[in-house]
Amino acid sequence: MSTSQPLPRFADIIFPTAVRQPFTYQIPENLQDEIKVGLRVWVPFQRRKSIGVVVNLHSDTPDFNTRDVEQILDDKPILSPEMMKLTKWIHRFYYCGWGEVIQAALPAGLNFYSEKYILIKNHPGDEQLDNKDANIIEEVAKKESYLLKEAKKRWSAAAIDRLQKRGYLEVREEPELKVAPSTSRLWEWTPEGEQEKVLELINRHREEDKMYKWVEALELLHMLGLPEFQKNLTRHELLDSYTLNRIADEGLISAREVESTDISFKYEYDPSALKKLNDEQEMALVEIKSSLDKEEFANYLLFGITGSGKTEVYIHALREVLDKGKGGLVLVPEIGLTPQIVKRFYQIFGDDIAVLHSRLTVREKYDAWRSLQKGEKRIAIGARSAVFAPVQNLGLIIVDEEHDASYKQEDPAPRYHARDVAIMRGTINDAAVVMGSATPSMVSLYGAKKGKSKLLSLTKRPLDAKLPKVKVLDLKQYRSAMQGPVAVPLYEKIKEAVDKNEQAILLYNRRGYASFLQCETCGHIPECPNCSVSLTFHKSKRQLRCHYCGYAARRPEVCGECGKADLEAMGSGTQQLEEQISDIFPEVRLLRMDFDTTSGRDAHADILAKFARKEADILVGTQIVGKGLDFPDVTVVGVINADTELAFPTFRAGERMYQLLSQVAGRSGRADKEGKVYFQTWQADHPALMAAKNHDYKEFARRELAFRKTLKYPPYSRIIRFVFKGKREQRVQRVARVFTETLIEQVGGFDSVLGPSPSAVSKVQKFYRWETLLKIDPSNGAGAIEHLLDNTFSDYEHRKPDKTSSVRINVNVDALE
Ligand code: ADP
Ligand code: ZN
């Protein structure tokens, strides 16, 4: 007889749904000693079979019938005990399904993702089938199994169905990815393709008027630069594979297959390029090192003006971590995943780096994941979801540009904030967390003031580059001195620059999805009397509404500030600006960059590369241009509408405006030529704008925190937003009312509940949206949130007016938007 504990008879299992409770299954005897927490299993779920993850084992017989676990799918848990803890915390704090978190955290092949395959069940005699069906059976039999979706594509869904019904084929679902490691075709210059020679060849063809297609393509290759993957090259119309091969026939370029996660061909590895830190940087590093030595959790806020060398500090700290035999994780905003930052890390760490970005194929992501898990790569760098990367023996997490809104996932669930998840991960892993920013979020700044993190400051630029001079152009004064959308001084400056063969960037802040009213005479935007946020204009009802508290008013006829009947609906008009600019500068070459022109991620880099090659004189772009302002020949940067952010119906408007403007003000002026920055605005004396102009974060933060404190906005509260969505507006409204009443009872008073009211965007794709905001004390953590919401939902369950649940209720903890 063994004296060990009796084997568990039941397993609690989760699925990737919003359901927050696990489901209990019975463990058949033959699986009892194999089953472990963190393993995937194959179980009957609803009316089909599904992959689930085991989160708990026990022997408490439940008072309902259970079904059996059918199969165990992994040898080893797919989540380490630390990652189980982390994902569970997210499930509780952000109030979503645990399975939803795991689904988002792990790549396909390691999560609930499964593929359906068909295989032969019964070999029919030939006489029973017509030619087509016989052919299908033959082809499937050739392979061991056949991907269902490919089979459907190749033959037809109906044919596969028929054969399945007749019992010849069977469909099986499996979690593994049965795809070969992916390789990609990489094009490089041959020794023949020396760039001077290439240029000569192009010029000769041009002189002889023989610009064949392949020569034009060659010119483009010369500009784009090799080596590059074929899949990236063929995005350009001119560079189809036929033409590439045609150039290869000339002996100028050649191709080879490399693993598509391999980035070594792109960057130079030269660890000797590690810079010597200056005193401020060294002081910051010494602090970080002290907690690395202690191997315990510590949180740092590295506040350094742009160009002060934060990245250099990250690199040194990572070096220390690797020397201790540990690993590091670097989070950057998606938009920041430009080759530039990867290049700097690659230079020092070479193939120790795994880059995780949204353009990776399923297979590439899986491979990157595995290489981290096996410890082949010790550093992961990536955007939001990289916070889950399985870096082994994690010692350090860096969150660059910690204030960036892209760290918050808004939709769908899990609606997590990667910075806050990083802090929790650091806590669980005894790792140091360094958050860097030139414009720290109010939440992080307040955290530092309260001693939750330690503030490290970098106040100087190592290369002694000057901060540019910022000039504010008050639109009220330039009303009769405008050239289209730009005030005359800016117009003159752009003209001057272009004449001197320099470049200009014009930034217009576009927040297309909510509309608002603005006075064309004085620039005033109507605000909610209760909430200090701008009111949203609902055109169909001719109403102004506050989407926080529900305050509503008829559309006013005249401006509340200056009394003129000059109120206009604003909020869109994207290409319009580009057209206006090309009207006033007809000779000038324009490039536009906004969410429409950059749907593919490379498009973003392509546009910037074009601009850097001086293929355009003016770059017109939305706020996404913000990070790419480092061009040596750009001497003018203008923000067309520096205050549009204020129209956005959120208390964070001032913070957003400050971040955007100070980024603009901080980016240029690094080069030797002196740059000038212009802010055009209706609100020339707005404190956030003034602070950005003066490069004065402290002044901005002082005022902003005072404002937040008065109205109890974060960091003085934690905001939970409930969104009610459905196709019938009345139902949505009724659900919102009843739920909100329930919530008010649970929190014991109206004080902290705002709403319900229609969302700023009150209808999306036929779904009406209402919302309610709850403000709670920021000290409330996962336990308190879970408790409150569990009670609210279970109480609501008894009184809900919508028995069919046709109205969805989403919970967004720490909502940003
Ligand atoms: P940030 O990340 O704060 O914007 P970076 O790390 O990119 O700043 O530094 C700005 C520039 O200064 C970069 O070109 C970087 O190489 C350079 N730099 C940073 N630290 C040093 C240093 N200690 N010595 C020399 N150059 C430095
Ligand atoms: Zn209000």
Side-chain angles (χ1 to χ4, degrees), residues 275-279 281 302 304-316 341 344 400-401 438 458 461-463 667 670:
K275 295 201 168 58
K276 190 168 170 348
L277 297 183
N278 66 24
D279 292 350
Q281 289 171 316
L302 181 60
I305 59 171
T306 38
S308 60
K310 296 184 287 296
T311 310
E312 219 52 51
V313 174
Y314 305 153
I315 289 172
H316 278 259
I341 190 142
R344 280 176 72 184
D400 189 28
E401 312 278 4
L458 303 179
R461 289 184 161 181
L463 302 181
R667 281 285 150 164
R670 282 187 179 187

mmCIF file of all heavy atoms in Angstrom, residues 275-279 281 302 304-316 341 344 400-401 438 458 461-463 667 670, ligand 1:
data_model
loop_
_atom_site.group_PDB
_atom_site.id
_atom_site.type_symbol
_atom_site.label_atom_id
_atom_site.label_comp_id
_atom_site.label_asym_id
_atom_site.label_seq_id
_atom_site.Cartn_x
_atom_site.Cartn_y
_atom_site.Cartn_z
ATOM 1 N N LYS A 275 27.484 51.943 -24.832
ATOM 2 C CA LYS A 275 27.990 53.287 -24.504
ATOM 3 C C LYS A 275 28.340 53.400 -23.027
ATOM 4 O O LYS A 275 27.757 52.717 -22.190
ATOM 5 C CB LYS A 275 26.933 54.324 -24.849
ATOM 6 C CG LYS A 275 26.653 54.378 -26.331
ATOM 7 C CD LYS A 275 26.027 55.709 -26.694
ATOM 8 C CE LYS A 275 26.010 55.899 -28.200
ATOM 9 N NZ LYS A 275 25.291 54.821 -28.923
ATOM 10 N N LYS A 276 29.259 54.298 -22.749
ATOM 11 C CA LYS A 276 29.571 54.575 -21.356
ATOM 12 C C LYS A 276 28.504 55.536 -20.845
ATOM 13 O O LYS A 276 28.227 56.557 -21.462
ATOM 14 C CB LYS A 276 30.963 55.199 -21.262
ATOM 15 C CG LYS A 276 31.454 55.290 -19.841
ATOM 16 C CD LYS A 276 32.941 55.646 -19.798
ATOM 17 C CE LYS A 276 33.415 55.989 -18.396
ATOM 18 N NZ LYS A 276 32.424 56.207 -17.368
ATOM 19 N N LEU A 277 27.915 55.199 -19.714
ATOM 20 C CA LEU A 277 26.823 56.032 -19.217
ATOM 21 C C LEU A 277 27.355 57.331 -18.608
ATOM 22 O O LEU A 277 28.449 57.364 -18.055
ATOM 23 C CB LEU A 277 26.024 55.265 -18.155
ATOM 24 C CG LEU A 277 25.322 53.989 -18.622
ATOM 25 C CD1 LEU A 277 24.524 53.375 -17.479
ATOM 26 C CD2 LEU A 277 24.411 54.259 -19.816
ATOM 27 N N ASN A 278 26.542 58.367 -18.686
ATOM 28 C CA ASN A 278 26.916 59.598 -17.988
ATOM 29 C C ASN A 278 26.474 59.496 -16.521
ATOM 30 O O ASN A 278 25.879 58.497 -16.112
ATOM 31 C CB ASN A 278 26.338 60.835 -18.692
ATOM 32 C CG ASN A 278 24.819 60.877 -18.637
ATOM 33 O OD1 ASN A 278 24.206 60.283 -17.754
ATOM 34 N ND2 ASN A 278 24.212 61.577 -19.575
ATOM 35 N N ASP A 279 26.743 60.508 -15.731
ATOM 36 C CA ASP A 279 26.523 60.400 -14.280
ATOM 37 C C ASP A 279 25.076 60.094 -13.915
ATOM 38 O O ASP A 279 24.800 59.221 -13.102
ATOM 39 C CB ASP A 279 26.932 61.703 -13.580
ATOM 40 C CG ASP A 279 28.438 61.902 -13.655
ATOM 41 O OD1 ASP A 279 29.123 60.932 -14.079
ATOM 42 O OD2 ASP A 279 28.912 62.995 -13.317
ATOM 43 N N GLN A 281 22.724 58.749 -15.758
ATOM 44 C CA GLN A 281 22.362 57.390 -16.187
ATOM 45 C C GLN A 281 22.970 56.360 -15.238
ATOM 46 O O GLN A 281 22.317 55.386 -14.865
ATOM 47 C CB GLN A 281 22.871 57.139 -17.607
ATOM 48 C CG GLN A 281 22.130 57.903 -18.684
ATOM 49 C CD GLN A 281 22.827 57.779 -20.039
ATOM 50 O OE1 GLN A 281 24.053 57.889 -20.132
ATOM 51 N NE2 GLN A 281 22.058 57.553 -21.086
ATOM 52 N N LEU A 302 11.401 55.571 -14.440
ATOM 53 C CA LEU A 302 12.534 56.287 -15.030
ATOM 54 C C LEU A 302 11.980 57.450 -15.842
ATOM 55 O O LEU A 302 11.487 57.276 -16.959
ATOM 56 C CB LEU A 302 13.345 55.342 -15.911
ATOM 57 C CG LEU A 302 14.591 55.931 -16.598
ATOM 58 C CD1 LEU A 302 15.588 56.459 -15.579
ATOM 59 C CD2 LEU A 302 15.244 54.889 -17.500
ATOM 60 N N GLY A 304 12.675 60.540 -17.849
ATOM 61 C CA GLY A 304 13.763 61.218 -18.547
ATOM 62 C C GLY A 304 13.247 61.896 -19.793
ATOM 63 O O GLY A 304 12.477 61.289 -20.551
ATOM 64 N N ILE A 305 13.647 63.122 -20.021
ATOM 65 C CA ILE A 305 13.175 63.837 -21.208
ATOM 66 C C ILE A 305 13.577 63.043 -22.455
ATOM 67 O O ILE A 305 14.494 62.216 -22.408
ATOM 68 C CB ILE A 305 13.756 65.272 -21.276
ATOM 69 C CG1 ILE A 305 15.290 65.238 -21.296
ATOM 70 C CG2 ILE A 305 13.257 66.100 -20.101
ATOM 71 C CD1 ILE A 305 15.908 66.593 -21.579
ATOM 72 N N THR A 306 12.887 63.273 -23.562
ATOM 73 C CA THR A 306 13.229 62.534 -24.779
ATOM 74 C C THR A 306 14.680 62.800 -25.134
ATOM 75 O O THR A 306 15.144 63.930 -25.078
ATOM 76 C CB THR A 306 12.350 62.955 -25.988
ATOM 77 O OG1 THR A 306 12.130 64.352 -25.915
ATOM 78 C CG2 THR A 306 11.052 62.219 -25.997
ATOM 79 N N GLY A 307 15.360 61.726 -25.478
ATOM 80 C CA GLY A 307 16.763 61.861 -25.859
ATOM 81 C C GLY A 307 17.709 61.905 -24.674
ATOM 82 O O GLY A 307 18.895 62.166 -24.814
ATOM 83 N N SER A 308 17.197 61.648 -23.481
ATOM 84 C CA SER A 308 18.066 61.716 -22.303
ATOM 85 C C SER A 308 18.806 60.399 -22.072
ATOM 86 O O SER A 308 19.618 60.293 -21.168
ATOM 87 C CB SER A 308 17.254 62.081 -21.064
ATOM 88 O OG SER A 308 16.260 61.106 -20.839
ATOM 89 N N GLY A 309 18.518 59.401 -22.884
ATOM 90 C CA GLY A 309 19.277 58.159 -22.788
ATOM 91 C C GLY A 309 18.627 57.085 -21.935
ATOM 92 O O GLY A 309 19.313 56.263 -21.332
ATOM 93 N N LYS A 310 17.295 57.055 -21.916
ATOM 94 C CA LYS A 310 16.593 56.000 -21.170
ATOM 95 C C LYS A 310 16.913 54.633 -21.778
ATOM 96 O O LYS A 310 17.199 53.674 -21.068
ATOM 97 C CB LYS A 310 15.075 56.240 -21.199
ATOM 98 C CG LYS A 310 14.639 57.510 -20.502
ATOM 99 C CD LYS A 310 13.121 57.654 -20.482
ATOM 100 C CE LYS A 310 12.535 58.004 -21.846
ATOM 101 N NZ LYS A 310 12.940 59.302 -22.387
ATOM 102 N N THR A 311 16.847 54.572 -23.109
ATOM 103 C CA THR A 311 17.082 53.301 -23.781
ATOM 104 C C THR A 311 18.462 52.749 -23.423
ATOM 105 O O THR A 311 18.639 51.543 -23.249
ATOM 106 C CB THR A 311 16.954 53.473 -25.310
ATOM 107 O OG1 THR A 311 15.726 54.157 -25.568
ATOM 108 C CG2 THR A 311 16.949 52.140 -26.013
ATOM 109 N N GLU A 312 19.404 53.646 -23.322
ATOM 110 C CA GLU A 312 20.768 53.237 -22.966
ATOM 111 C C GLU A 312 20.794 52.625 -21.560
ATOM 112 O O GLU A 312 21.474 51.637 -21.308
ATOM 113 C CB GLU A 312 21.663 54.480 -23.034
ATOM 114 C CG GLU A 312 23.036 54.256 -23.602
ATOM 115 C CD GLU A 312 23.076 53.558 -24.946
ATOM 116 O OE1 GLU A 312 22.371 53.977 -25.878
ATOM 117 O OE2 GLU A 312 23.820 52.567 -25.048
ATOM 118 N N VAL A 313 20.015 53.188 -20.655
ATOM 119 C CA VAL A 313 19.918 52.629 -19.298
ATOM 120 C C VAL A 313 19.287 51.232 -19.343
ATOM 121 O O VAL A 313 19.761 50.306 -18.683
ATOM 122 C CB VAL A 313 19.120 53.558 -18.359
ATOM 123 C CG1 VAL A 313 18.887 52.908 -16.996
ATOM 124 C CG2 VAL A 313 19.843 54.894 -18.190
ATOM 125 N N TYR A 314 18.220 51.088 -20.149
ATOM 126 C CA TYR A 314 17.589 49.761 -20.275
ATOM 127 C C TYR A 314 18.629 48.736 -20.708
ATOM 128 O O TYR A 314 18.689 47.614 -20.195
ATOM 129 C CB TYR A 314 16.485 49.741 -21.343
ATOM 130 C CG TYR A 314 15.381 50.749 -21.213
ATOM 131 C CD1 TYR A 314 14.698 51.187 -22.362
ATOM 132 C CD2 TYR A 314 14.979 51.244 -19.982
ATOM 133 C CE1 TYR A 314 13.663 52.093 -22.274
ATOM 134 C CE2 TYR A 314 13.942 52.157 -19.901
ATOM 135 C CZ TYR A 314 13.289 52.592 -21.050
ATOM 136 O OH TYR A 314 12.263 53.481 -20.986
ATOM 137 N N ILE A 315 19.412 49.121 -21.710
ATOM 138 C CA ILE A 315 20.377 48.182 -22.287
ATOM 139 C C ILE A 315 21.406 47.755 -21.232
ATOM 140 O O ILE A 315 21.701 46.568 -21.092
ATOM 141 C CB ILE A 315 21.062 48.807 -23.526
ATOM 142 C CG1 ILE A 315 20.045 48.894 -24.664
ATOM 143 C CG2 ILE A 315 22.283 48.007 -23.951
ATOM 144 C CD1 ILE A 315 20.501 49.655 -25.891
ATOM 145 N N HIS A 316 21.899 48.713 -20.475
ATOM 146 C CA HIS A 316 22.872 48.380 -19.429
ATOM 147 C C HIS A 316 22.254 47.480 -18.353
ATOM 148 O O HIS A 316 22.889 46.538 -17.891
ATOM 149 C CB HIS A 316 23.431 49.654 -18.787
ATOM 150 C CG HIS A 316 24.536 50.274 -19.582
ATOM 151 N ND1 HIS A 316 25.863 50.133 -19.269
ATOM 152 C CD2 HIS A 316 24.500 51.022 -20.709
ATOM 153 C CE1 HIS A 316 26.603 50.778 -20.162
ATOM 154 N NE2 HIS A 316 25.797 51.341 -21.051
ATOM 155 N N ILE A 341 14.435 50.621 -32.635
ATOM 156 C CA ILE A 341 14.664 50.145 -31.275
ATOM 157 C C ILE A 341 15.201 48.720 -31.280
ATOM 158 O O ILE A 341 16.104 48.373 -30.526
ATOM 159 C CB ILE A 341 13.419 50.304 -30.381
ATOM 160 C CG1 ILE A 341 13.776 50.029 -28.919
ATOM 161 C CG2 ILE A 341 12.281 49.422 -30.805
ATOM 162 C CD1 ILE A 341 13.061 50.942 -27.956
ATOM 163 N N ARG A 344 18.895 48.670 -31.948
ATOM 164 C CA ARG A 344 19.780 48.992 -30.822
ATOM 165 C C ARG A 344 19.944 47.822 -29.860
ATOM 166 O O ARG A 344 21.017 47.573 -29.338
ATOM 167 C CB ARG A 344 19.266 50.229 -30.093
ATOM 168 C CG ARG A 344 19.666 51.493 -30.832
ATOM 169 C CD ARG A 344 19.115 52.724 -30.203
ATOM 170 N NE ARG A 344 19.758 53.074 -28.953
ATOM 171 C CZ ARG A 344 19.354 54.102 -28.198
ATOM 172 N NH1 ARG A 344 18.334 54.838 -28.583
ATOM 173 N NH2 ARG A 344 19.971 54.385 -27.082
ATOM 174 N N ASP A 400 8.721 50.536 -21.727
ATOM 175 C CA ASP A 400 9.119 51.809 -22.321
ATOM 176 C C ASP A 400 7.871 52.608 -22.668
ATOM 177 O O ASP A 400 6.853 52.031 -23.056
ATOM 178 C CB ASP A 400 9.953 51.541 -23.573
ATOM 179 C CG ASP A 400 10.585 52.822 -24.098
ATOM 180 O OD1 ASP A 400 10.832 53.745 -23.289
ATOM 181 O OD2 ASP A 400 10.848 52.909 -25.311
ATOM 182 N N GLU A 401 7.938 53.919 -22.548
ATOM 183 C CA GLU A 401 6.785 54.789 -22.819
ATOM 184 C C GLU A 401 5.582 54.288 -22.029
ATOM 185 O O GLU A 401 4.522 54.032 -22.592
ATOM 186 C CB GLU A 401 6.443 54.815 -24.318
ATOM 187 C CG GLU A 401 7.626 55.046 -25.245
ATOM 188 C CD GLU A 401 8.006 56.510 -25.397
ATOM 189 O OE1 GLU A 401 7.394 57.361 -24.719
ATOM 190 O OE2 GLU A 401 8.940 56.796 -26.150
ATOM 191 N N ALA A 438 8.998 60.069 -20.890
ATOM 192 C CA ALA A 438 9.307 61.490 -20.805
ATOM 193 C C ALA A 438 8.101 62.236 -20.254
ATOM 194 O O ALA A 438 8.203 63.380 -19.808
ATOM 195 C CB ALA A 438 9.678 62.036 -22.176
ATOM 196 N N LEU A 458 16.277 61.547 -15.397
ATOM 197 C CA LEU A 458 17.323 61.937 -16.338
ATOM 198 C C LEU A 458 16.923 63.303 -16.885
ATOM 199 O O LEU A 458 15.873 63.435 -17.507
ATOM 200 C CB LEU A 458 17.446 60.936 -17.490
ATOM 201 C CG LEU A 458 17.711 59.471 -17.145
ATOM 202 C CD1 LEU A 458 17.777 58.630 -18.415
ATOM 203 C CD2 LEU A 458 19.008 59.332 -16.356
ATOM 204 N N ARG A 461 20.454 65.823 -21.946
ATOM 205 C CA ARG A 461 20.661 65.028 -23.152
ATOM 206 C C ARG A 461 22.154 64.790 -23.325
ATOM 207 O O ARG A 461 22.914 65.740 -23.404
ATOM 208 C CB ARG A 461 20.106 65.757 -24.366
ATOM 209 C CG ARG A 461 18.604 65.804 -24.372
ATOM 210 C CD ARG A 461 18.091 66.455 -25.627
ATOM 211 N NE ARG A 461 16.686 66.096 -25.823
ATOM 212 C CZ ARG A 461 15.954 66.487 -26.845
ATOM 213 N NH1 ARG A 461 16.486 67.252 -27.766
ATOM 214 N NH2 ARG A 461 14.700 66.134 -26.953
ATOM 215 N N PRO A 462 22.578 63.525 -23.414
ATOM 216 C CA PRO A 462 24.001 63.212 -23.496
ATOM 217 C C PRO A 462 24.684 63.905 -24.668
ATOM 218 O O PRO A 462 25.811 64.356 -24.565
ATOM 219 C CB PRO A 462 24.040 61.698 -23.697
ATOM 220 C CG PRO A 462 22.733 61.199 -23.250
ATOM 221 C CD PRO A 462 21.760 62.301 -23.424
ATOM 222 N N LEU A 463 23.999 63.983 -25.795
ATOM 223 C CA LEU A 463 24.657 64.550 -26.963
ATOM 224 C C LEU A 463 24.492 66.067 -26.994
ATOM 225 O O LEU A 463 24.828 66.714 -27.963
ATOM 226 C CB LEU A 463 24.114 63.919 -28.236
ATOM 227 C CG LEU A 463 24.274 62.399 -28.275
ATOM 228 C CD1 LEU A 463 23.734 61.832 -29.569
ATOM 229 C CD2 LEU A 463 25.731 61.996 -28.088
ATOM 230 N N ARG A 667 10.895 65.865 -29.781
ATOM 231 C CA ARG A 667 11.534 64.995 -30.750
ATOM 232 C C ARG A 667 12.488 65.721 -31.675
ATOM 233 O O ARG A 667 13.575 65.274 -31.924
ATOM 234 C CB ARG A 667 10.473 64.288 -31.602
ATOM 235 C CG ARG A 667 9.847 63.140 -30.896
ATOM 236 C CD ARG A 667 10.781 61.949 -30.851
ATOM 237 N NE ARG A 667 10.516 61.157 -29.645
ATOM 238 C CZ ARG A 667 10.936 59.918 -29.468
ATOM 239 N NH1 ARG A 667 11.638 59.320 -30.397
ATOM 240 N NH2 ARG A 667 10.681 59.297 -28.354
ATOM 241 N N ARG A 670 17.005 67.551 -32.480
ATOM 242 C CA ARG A 670 18.142 66.730 -32.106
ATOM 243 C C ARG A 670 19.284 66.948 -33.085
ATOM 244 O O ARG A 670 20.431 66.802 -32.754
ATOM 245 C CB ARG A 670 17.764 65.254 -32.161
ATOM 246 C CG ARG A 670 16.960 64.813 -30.981
ATOM 247 C CD ARG A 670 16.803 63.323 -31.070
ATOM 248 N NE ARG A 670 16.038 62.848 -29.935
ATOM 249 C CZ ARG A 670 15.858 61.562 -29.677
ATOM 250 N NH1 ARG A 670 16.364 60.666 -30.466
ATOM 251 N NH2 ARG A 670 15.157 61.195 -28.644
HETATM 252 P P1 ADP B 1 15.651 58.129 -24.898
HETATM 253 O O1 ADP B 1 15.429 56.642 -24.908
HETATM 254 O O2 ADP B 1 15.589 58.712 -23.538
HETATM 255 O O3 ADP B 1 14.822 58.887 -25.876
HETATM 256 P P2 ADP B 1 18.143 57.404 -26.120
HETATM 257 O O4 ADP B 1 18.629 56.304 -25.272
HETATM 258 O O5 ADP B 1 17.540 57.068 -27.426
HETATM 259 O O6 ADP B 1 17.180 58.367 -25.317
HETATM 260 O O7 ADP B 1 19.367 58.406 -26.337
HETATM 261 C C1 ADP B 1 19.333 59.505 -27.222
HETATM 262 C C2 ADP B 1 20.623 59.547 -28.012
HETATM 263 O O8 ADP B 1 21.714 59.754 -27.138
HETATM 264 C C3 ADP B 1 20.896 58.253 -28.745
HETATM 265 O O9 ADP B 1 21.464 58.562 -29.982
HETATM 266 C C4 ADP B 1 21.887 57.553 -27.847
HETATM 267 O O10 ADP B 1 22.715 56.690 -28.591
HETATM 268 C C5 ADP B 1 22.659 58.701 -27.260
HETATM 269 N N1 ADP B 1 23.173 58.378 -25.934
HETATM 270 C C6 ADP B 1 22.469 57.971 -24.868
HETATM 271 N N2 ADP B 1 23.248 57.782 -23.798
HETATM 272 C C7 ADP B 1 24.505 58.076 -24.186
HETATM 273 C C8 ADP B 1 25.773 58.095 -23.535
HETATM 274 N N3 ADP B 1 25.910 57.751 -22.249
HETATM 275 N N4 ADP B 1 26.848 58.441 -24.267
HETATM 276 C C9 ADP B 1 26.713 58.789 -25.552
HETATM 277 N N5 ADP B 1 25.563 58.825 -26.221
HETATM 278 C C10 ADP B 1 24.457 58.472 -25.560
#
